[in-house]
Amino acid sequence: MAASSRAQVLDLYRAMLRESKHFSAYNYRTYAVRRIRDAFRENKNVKDPVEIQALVNKAKRDLGIIRRQNAVKIAPTQRPRGIPPQSVRN
Amino acid sequence: MLLRTAWRRAAAAVPVSPGPNSTAPTRGLRLRVVDHATQSDVPSATATAPQAESELRPLYMDVQATTPLDPRVLDAMIPYLVNYYGNPHSRTHAYGWESEAAMEHARQQVASLIGADPREIIFTSGATESNNIAIKELESAIQPDTSLVSVMTVNNEIGVKQPIAEIGRICSSRKVYFHTDAAQAVGKIPLDVNDMKVDLMSISGHKIYGPKGVGAIYIRRRPRVRVEALQSGGGQERGMRSGTVPTPLVVGLGAACEVAQQEMEYDHKRISKLAERLTQKIMKSLPDVVMNGDPEHHYPGCINLSFAYVEGESLLMALKDVALSSGSACTSASLEPSYVLRAIGTDEDLAHSSIRFGIGRFTTEEEVDYTVEKCIHHVKRLREMSPLWEMVQDGIDLKSIKWTQH
């Protein structure tokens, strides 16, 4: 299997950010968006295709986790008092 | 996907329970009743924005008391709560085998975080049980002069890091057993039981974004440390802790440890920055604020500040939008000042005005800024009301006053 291209990595990045915004809990939502951005930024200069593929695979697994956890909506949504809604900066 | 369908059915069947509408103010927690009509039963994977947040709750700044589950931990646990529900000690069928495999995998994850061998990890119900097992060891000592040293790795009230490696070296040279309660330290600072010469270590699940009700004790095998079981029964966990091992909980603990190992550096950097931001902002805007605990050997996520001339309980009540604590949660019912603060020589009046700010993996900059703003506002307001503060402003030395008895 050929190593993931730049376009595929960017698609994955966008998909992860999109899914993360569905977290109903403020703390999970902000953490996911922040962590994904920082992780992709930190690894942007990795050149080794084997390492890139390992990182991509891990990201795909994490995307699966985010999707499954967003399906768990049995807990009431919550927002910290005093923090306005839609406060995740793009 | 089979799992998602089953979970959706389960989710539709469980009614959303309203928070307790408490008349007596429980510290930091005032819930408004959730509006059931707006809750959709069927979670949609294509929902565009989060549902209207109909429930307002305080910010959570009390991570030393407990931590929320990391989503990755819950994801690891759910299969063992829903599908793979076998008893890990059942030897005769696949349900037992897969449950046992998960338990052993979790054991490996915990061991890897502290540099131990998986055979040295025994699952317990939490750090308190682990501490009791370790201390009971003292009573089952063979030689009359054998004793045990027990030290907290990171203090839960003021965040101070104890010199574990040095203590370990001394204990091993004197042939004395060394136990440490690492509940606040595991997954937050690097730990290695061999580098630190630790013989026994207590681990708590719910302090590291794992589930409540589970923990572990590390018991060194070489040289062998002998412990006596607290609870006897079917001989599980090498006879050291009988009782069916709760697979979903230990899977959660293992996942929490693995996530902590991966995220330790990132979390530490971010928490340090947020802690710096919090203390700098407060100290810049308010005079007479003291940080308790050695600033050099300090875990950044636990900040204990004393605000002179302000009573701690009244400040906590004023900061009702933020979940905070003053000192140890275990003794929160009593109004005694913290024994830790007293031990480090804090003045009695400063000990009564201490607040503990907890910063964790999920704490945001916004939450820190909001907490700082409210804290400054209320400290100023409470000081305005304080006659002691007035006297200090007039230049009177409070220590020189002779308070008369009436």
Side-chain angles (χ1 to χ4, degrees), chain A residues 21-24 26-31 34-35 38 58 65 68-69 71-74 76-83 85-87 89, chain B residues 4 7 11 16 30 43 47-48 50-53 55-57 59 69 71-72 74-75 78 263 266 270 321 361-364 366-367 370:
Chain A
K21 296 196 175 137
H22 296 163
F23 270 116
S24 45
Y26 165 83
N27 290 95
Y28 289 164
R29 192 167 64 240
T30 50
Y31 175 77
R34 185 189 333 125
R35 189 68 189 95
D38 288 348
K58 176 164 194 317
I65 291 175
R68 279 194 297 276
Q69 289 310 304
V72 178
K73 280 206 159 71
I74 57 176
T77 59
Q78 62 165 40
R79 157 163 74 82
R81 188 178 315 200
I83 307 282
Q86 303 303 323
S87 58
R89 304 205 190 336
Chain B
R4 174 103 57 92
W7 193 242
V16 176
R30 273 175 19 192
T48 42
Q51 297 173 346
E53 289 145 328
E55 190 189 336
L56 291 182
R57 290 162 56 103
L59 272 61
L69 273 184
R72 290 164 282 201
L74 181 58
D75 192 76
I78 286 178
E263 302 287 347
Y266 176 85
R270 215 183 66 87
D321 292 340
R361 182 182 294 164
F362 300 104
T363 311
T364 66
E366 254 179 330
E367 288 175 317
Y370 181 83

Side-chain angles (χ1 to χ4, degrees), chain B residues 59-113:
Chain B
L59 272 61
Y60 192 71
M61 299 286 289
D62 199 15
V63 286
Q64 279 72 36
T66 190
T67 54
L69 273 184
D70 190 298
R72 290 164 282 201
V73 169
L74 181 58
D75 192 76
M77 287 171 70
I78 286 178
Y80 297 93
L81 290 164
V82 180
N83 288 330
Y84 308 127
Y85 48 78
N87 183 322
H89 313 293
S90 300
R91 296 206 161 289
T92 57
H93 48 71
Y95 287 93
W97 303 330
E98 70 202 357
S99 195
E100 187 191 12
M103 175 178 78
E104 293 307 323
H105 180 63
R107 205 186 297 275
Q108 169 61 54
Q109 288 168 316
V110 176
S112 150
L113 182 59

